[in-house]
Amino acid sequence: SAKEQGKNSYCLFAEEMEDKSKKYMEMDNMLRKAILGNEFTLHYQPQVDATNGKIKKLEALIRWNHPERGFISPEEFIPIAEQTGHIEAIGEWVVEEACRQIKSWKGKGITTPKVSINLSSTMLSRQGISEKSIETINRSIQNVDVEFEITETAILTNEKNVLKALDIMKKNGITIALDDFGTGYSSLNHLQNLPIDVLKIDSSFLMNIHKSDKEKSLYESVIQLAHSLELEVVAEGVETKEQVEFLKENKCDTLQGYYFSRPLPPDKAEVIIANGFIKI
Ligand code: C2E
Ligand code: MG
Ligand code: MG
Ligand code: MG
C-alpha cells in the first residue's frame, strides 16, 4: 500500500541519515586525532609565468595520510572540518607549516617564490584571525612571502567579517586571490569592490574551451574583465598543450595545472624551485 511504501521510504531515509551522521561523527574523531597526531602534510604546486615558464608562486595544498585509511582527499574532509570546527586548528597548522617551509628553503639559500595558502571562510569570519595569521607569518618570514586564496562563496557567505579580515591583510601587504572564480555567484559589479589582487579562473571553464568558440569567448572575456580591474589572472587546471597556447594567445598571466606539475611534496618542490623555471 501507499502508506507502507511511504513508511519504507521513510525508513530508508532515516537509515541514510543515520549512516551520514555516523560517518560524520567518525570523521570528527579522525580529524581530532589527525591534528594531534601530525597526520597532515603540505604539497606544493607551481604557478608559472605564461610568457617564460618562470615559477612565480607555489600553491600549498593539504594532504592527509590516515594511518589505516590511507590518503583522504581535502575535497572530502575540508567541508566536514568546516562544520565540526576543526578547520580553525587545521587552518592555523597550514599557515604555520607553510611559513616553516618557506623559512627553511630561504635558510638553504633557495630563491623561494611566494606561497599561496587556501583559507576557509569559516576561519576567516572569526574575529582577530588576520592579526593572528600576520603574527604567525612575521615570526619567521614576511607578509610579501605569502598570498591567501579564498573562494567566491567564502566571501559571499560571511561578507562583513570576511571583508574586514581581507582588508587588514591587504593593508599589511599580503596579496589575496579569489579562488575557483565562476563557480559562485559574485556579480561583476561585486568583483570590482572586493579587496583582491588575483583572479583564479576555475578549471571547469578551461575544460570546455575545446568544445566551441562560445566557450573560448567566455574565457577570453573573463581574462579581459580581470585585466580591466587590474587583477592578475591565473588559469587553474591547465592540462594540455592546446590550452597553454590558447591562454598565451589571450594574455593570461599565470598558469597552473598538471601540464606543468602536479602538487609535489616539499623535497620534490625544492628541486624545481631551485631550478626556477618549468619548460613551457
Ligand atoms: P583549490 O584550492 O581550487 O586547489 C586546486 C585543486 O585542483 C587541487 O586539488 C589540485 O591538486 C587540483 N589540480 C591542480 N591542477 C590540476 C589539473 O591540471 N587537473 C586537475 N584535474 N586537477 C588539478 P586538491 O589538492 O585535491 O584540493 C582540493 C580543494 O581542497 C582545493 O581546491 C581547496 O579548495 C581545498 N584545500 C586544499 N588544501 C587546503 C588547505 O590547506 N586549506 C583549505 N581551507 N582548503 C584546502
Ligand atoms: Mg586554491
Ligand atoms: Mg581553485
Ligand atoms: Mg577548487
Side-chain angles (χ1 to χ4, degrees):
S1 72
K3 201 177 163 193
E4 231 159 54
Q5 244 177 14
K7 194 178 161 219
N8 281 341
S9 62
Y10 171 77
C11 282
L12 264 175
F13 178 66
E15 250 169 56
E16 220 172 81
M17 289 289 283
E18 208 179 284
D19 274 0
K20 273 213 178 112
S21 71
K22 207 176 136 199
K23 220 180 144 195
Y24 180 93
M25 270 161 55
E26 229 183 332
M27 190 65 99
D28 183 26
N29 275 324
M30 280 164 62
L31 282 167
R32 185 171 303 115
K33 285 188 195 136
I35 294 162
L36 299 170
N38 274 316
E39 292 168 20
F40 296 117
T41 55
L42 290 183
H43 281 198
Y44 299 87
Q45 187 179 33
Q47 297 181 4
V48 307
D49 187 323
T51 62
N52 58 14
K54 185 178 193 290
I55 299 168
K56 287 168 115 176
K57 289 177 222 170
L58 295 173
E59 178 174 1
L61 294 156
I62 196 166
R63 294 292 175 259
W64 182 11
N65 196 4
H66 187 268
E68 283 118 44
R69 296 211 190 170
F71 177 75
I72 302 172
S73 163
E75 307 265 19
E76 189 182 338
F77 73 82
I78 293 284
I80 297 175
E82 285 175 341
Q83 288 166 49
T84 53
H86 292 306
I87 194 66
E88 299 204 0
I90 294 175
E92 279 171 18
W93 177 84
V94 171
V95 176
E96 277 165 25
E97 174 58 19
C99 291
R100 190 202 58 72
Q101 185 62 69
I102 296 169
K103 190 184 177 198
S104 150
W105 279 330
K106 284 185 161 189
K108 290 186 184 173
I110 296 165
T111 316
T112 309
K114 190 182 280 233
V115 172
S116 193
I117 301 168
N118 293 282
L119 281 190
S120 131
S121 64
T122 330
M123 191 181 167
L124 263 178
S125 61
R126 205 187 62 202
Q127 284 281 332
I129 191 64
S130 19
E131 290 83 354
K132 195 165 183 188
S133 307
I134 291 168
E135 225 178 88
T136 305
I137 295 164
N138 291 337
R139 245 180 273 135
S140 50
I141 53 169
Q142 287 167 322
N143 291 338
V144 294
D145 294 322
V146 301
E147 177 164 286
F148 284 126
E149 294 192 10
I150 33 130
T151 60
E152 262 182 303
T153 12
I155 293 188
L156 295 172
T157 44
N158 208 316
E159 196 156 26
K160 223 170 127 216
N161 283 343
V162 174
L163 285 181
K164 208 173 120 193
L166 295 181
D167 267 328
I168 296 172
M169 291 184 188
K170 236 188 110 99
K171 285 207 179 80
N172 281 279
I174 298 171
T175 54
I176 311 288
L178 190 60
D179 205 354
D180 302 348
F181 179 74
T183 59
Y185 298 95
S186 50
S187 65
L188 303 184
N189 183 43
H190 188 237
L191 199 57
Q192 189 177 9
N193 299 318
L194 294 176
I196 56 171
D197 307 276
V198 182
L199 194 77
K200 299 190 75 177
I201 306 176
D202 193 71
S203 56
S204 55
F205 294 93
L206 194 61
M207 272 164 52
N208 288 330
I209 60 150
H210 71 276
K211 288 185 187 157
S212 75
D213 285 347
K214 265 194 194 160
E215 304 280 352
K216 284 199 184 78
S217 333
L218 176 68
Y219 206 99
E220 285 169 36
S221 313
V222 177
I223 295 177
Q224 281 162 18
L225 164 78
H227 281 162
S228 71
L229 297 173
E230 296 180 321
L231 301 173
E232 175 194 343
V233 187
V234 180
E236 296 193 276
V238 183
E239 293 185 349
T240 69
K241 181 82 191 158
E242 184 202 359
Q243 291 169 343
V244 174
E245 291 311 323
F246 168 80
L247 293 163
K248 283 175 74 168
E249 250 168 56
N250 289 288
K251 305 280 184 297
C252 183
D253 305 290
T254 311
L255 314 179
Q256 178 178 2
Y258 295 168
Y259 181 82
F260 299 100
S261 169
R262 294 205 166 236
L264 302 169
D267 57 330
K268 295 227 169 73
E270 182 175 319
V271 176
I272 67 154
I273 62 168
N275 224 340
F277 287 83
I278 297 179
K279 201 177 156 282
I280 181 163

